[in-house]
Amino acid sequence: MTESSALSAEDAKLVALARATRARTRAAEGAAVRDADGRTYAAASVALPSLALSALQVCVAMAVASGARGLEAAVLLSDGEAGLADADRAVLTELAGAGVSVHLGSPAGSVARTVTT
């Protein structure tokens, strides 16, 4: 198990961004990513009748729209314990390739585990 205190300072910042975004929007998920240039993007899941996106999908879309060419790390905070959804893994891998750390945790920001793309 990986605790947020054991994360690098850069990854702990992602946890804080994801936590704050989720709390502010009261969404099911909060996520944050850091691109290859060190820029960060934070987002919440979108659940509208005509549009449903996971928080990680929104983060990747924001990064791509800003010209990111890759990702260094990602954080996903949610109530669920299902892990990294196939659709989230696919979108992260499309942009970043294999080997990107994805920290999965609770809404409170406690990281339970880390997986890689």
Side-chain angles (χ1 to χ4, degrees), residues 25 27-31 43-62 76-78 85 87-88 91:
T25 62
E29 300 176 333
S45 52
V46 175
L48 299 172
S50 61
L51 179 66
L53 296 170
S54 73
L56 280 172
Q57 290 170 334
V58 177
C59 283
V60 169
M62 292 168 59
L76 174 63
L77 304 180
S78 71
D88 287 339
V91 74

Side-chain angles (χ1 to χ4, degrees), residues 15-100:
V15 171
L17 289 169
R19 183 175 180 229
T21 300
R22 184 184 182 282
R24 183 177 61 251
T25 62
R26 297 185 180 119
E29 300 176 333
V33 300
R34 184 175 56 254
D35 73 13
D37 294 325
R39 296 176 295 193
T40 57
Y41 308 89
S45 52
V46 175
L48 299 172
S50 61
L51 179 66
L53 296 170
S54 73
L56 280 172
Q57 290 170 334
V58 177
C59 283
V60 169
M62 292 168 59
V64 169
S66 295
R69 297 175 189 233
L71 298 175
E72 292 180 349
V75 167
L76 174 63
L77 304 180
S78 71
D79 289 326
E81 297 201 18
L84 188 61
D86 291 340
D88 287 339
R89 184 181 301 275
V91 74
L92 290 168
T93 302
E94 281 183 40
L95 178 58
V100 173

